Amino acid sequence: MEASSLPPFWAGGPAPGQLYSMPCPANGAEVQTGGVTRTLSPMVTGTSVLGLKFDGGVIIAADMLGSYGSLARFRNISRIMKVNDSTVLGASGDYADFQYLKQVIEQMVIDEELLGDGHSYSPKAIHSWLTRAMYTRRSKMNPLWNTVVIGGYSDGEGFLGYVDMLGVAYEAPSLATGYGSYVAQPLMREAVEKKPRLSQQEARALLERCMRILYYRDARSFNRYEFTTVTEKGVEVEGPLTLETNWDIANLVSGFE
């Protein structure tokens, strides 16, 4: 055997008489691949996702802006995913992590359909799985930097659930993530307390109002958005839609000149 085909002496370690070089960026060309990496801060992010139950289903809304820091970088990205004919989910937070999560769920749905047993994932099943998936990633100190709203229709009623990056999960008749949890959620809760069983038209009008307020108040929001409605008839995705806004009131704002 030729000498050139022999493996190097003590592969991966220092040469005889030399010190071991730690695999870190400071070592330049000597950096070793395969190190452990973690997302320390999200890069391209999405802001609020809103969800609301109505009599006969649920409706989820999210704008289509991907912000690179404070830059409105991507203005036509969808943050709502149709899982199957009874379940949808919307995610705020890191868009790359949402894309990864979307790929995983899509493969899960394909594997389930290949069984051919007539069953499919229910909204509660996806919500339950997400609580375990997010908590597992958090426990490994490598969380998915997303807050997810799951909506669907199953067993004759609507379902609306929430899961954050730590695995914290709950169900509620109205949900909001991001800045919407401060601005839009009080408006939705007030409407639900006054009338627990909203009609589909009332729920849609309320979410349109919330999306408009978020565009006025949230610097990371945008006036292009999507609506996804889930009823016993299936999933209906509407969008991109554009909000009609009025900035005349801006002339009344003073004290910031």
Side-chain angles (χ1 to χ4, degrees), residues 141-220:
M141 300 300 175
N142 188 21
L144 296 173
W145 290 66
N146 296 112
T147 303
V148 184
V149 173
I150 303 96
Y153 189 88
S154 179
D155 299 327
E157 61 179 2
F159 174 86
L160 198 59
Y162 170 103
V163 186
D164 70 8
M165 62 182 289
L166 302 179
V168 176
Y170 56 88
E171 303 173 25
S174 65
L175 292 174
T177 69
Y179 197 69
S181 61
Y182 303 100
V183 177
Q185 181 69 299
L187 299 175
M188 293 190 290
R189 282 178 176 168
E190 181 183 20
V192 171
E193 288 173 359
K194 290 180 179 178
K195 187 178 180 181
R197 299 180 68 87
L198 298 172
S199 68
Q200 182 174 347
Q201 293 74 20
E202 290 171 334
R204 181 187 175 90
L206 177 57
L207 284 189
E208 284 182 355
R209 180 190 174 202
C210 291
M211 295 300 292
R212 183 175 292 106
I213 292 173
L214 283 172
Y215 180 52
Y216 287 143
R217 297 293 183 178
D218 185 2
R220 303 294 174 265

Side-chain angles (χ1 to χ4, degrees), residues 54 56-58 85-88 151-153 228-232 234-236:
F54 61 85
V58 299
D85 291 334
S86 64
T87 309
V88 297
Y153 189 88
T228 303
T229 306
V230 189
T231 63
E232 61 179 353
V235 176
E236 180 185 1

Side-chain angles (χ1 to χ4, degrees), residues 79-144:
R79 296 188 290 120
I80 299 179
M81 171 192 177
K82 176 183 175 182
V83 178
N84 53 35
D85 291 334
S86 64
T87 309
V88 297
L89 66 83
S92 61
D94 189 57
Y95 195 71
D97 283 348
F98 169 64
Q99 289 176 311
Y100 167 77
L101 191 61
K102 183 178 178 180
Q103 290 178 350
V104 172
I105 295 176
E106 285 175 344
Q107 188 60 51
M108 287 171 51
V109 172
I110 291 173
D111 294 341
E112 178 68 21
E113 290 177 349
L114 288 175
L115 295 176
D117 56 3
H119 295 279
S120 60
Y121 285 113
S122 67
K124 290 185 179 181
I126 294 295
H127 180 255
S128 178
W129 176 82
L130 273 172
T131 63
R132 301 301 89 209
M134 299 298 251
Y135 184 75
T136 298
R137 289 291 298 257
R138 173 260 187 190
S139 299
K140 294 180 178 179
M141 300 300 175
N142 188 21
L144 296 173

